[in-house]
Amino acid sequence: GRCNVLHDTTSFNGNSKQLLEESYPRGTKELRGLYSKYWTPINSRNWFEERIPLKTEADGRMFPVTDTSQSIITALLDAADEAGVQIRTKSKVRSIEKDAD
């Protein structure tokens, strides 16, 4: 299937965070902490476009040009691998630690 990556950041007219929150169908609470402290929709777009080509549809939704969610999965897994993230399936998370370096 396809994976809607995000909404077109060029249509936000300077207040991309507010418009994204208002457009998110599940409400603003889920996005507020992430986008207000660490990351913006423009950061997200830039991050994905460094890894995969995106296209914008007439309604503003953005998808990988491949139209497959596998492109998104691959980009995320490759970035995790580059960052040294260990992905373990069928395991309980007991703690998350950040290396000093």
Side-chain angles (χ1 to χ4, degrees):
R2 295 194 325 159
C3 183
N4 176 205
V5 180
L6 63 147
H7 200 79
D8 181 15
T9 57
T10 62
S11 65
F12 294 157
N13 297 325
N15 197 351
S16 58
K17 185 175 72 168
Q18 180 182 354
L19 182 62
L20 179 67
E21 289 175 354
E22 291 171 358
S23 301
Y24 188 64
R26 292 171 189 87
T28 62
K29 179 182 172 188
E30 290 79 0
L31 294 176
R32 242 183 226 140
L34 174 67
Y35 282 135
S36 65
K37 291 184 181 180
Y38 307 107
W39 207 252
T40 68
I42 293 170
N43 292 131
S44 296
R45 180 181 184 153
N46 292 340
W47 189 91
F48 277 107
E49 286 184 330
E50 288 175 6
R51 291 155 178 82
I52 54 172
L54 299 177
K55 65 178 180 175
T56 304
E57 297 198 345
D59 63 359
R61 292 177 304 155
M62 297 184 74
F63 292 90
V65 296
T66 60
D67 276 332
T68 66
S69 57
Q70 187 60 51
S71 298
I72 302 301
I73 294 166
T74 300
L76 293 169
L77 289 174
D78 287 351
D81 185 56
E82 291 168 14
V85 173
Q86 296 178 9
I87 298 175
R88 298 180 183 176
T89 60
K90 300 180 183 179
S91 302
K92 291 182 180 181
V93 175
R94 294 189 181 130
S95 68
I96 297 174
E97 299 175 12
K98 182 177 179 179
D99 288 341
D101 58 340

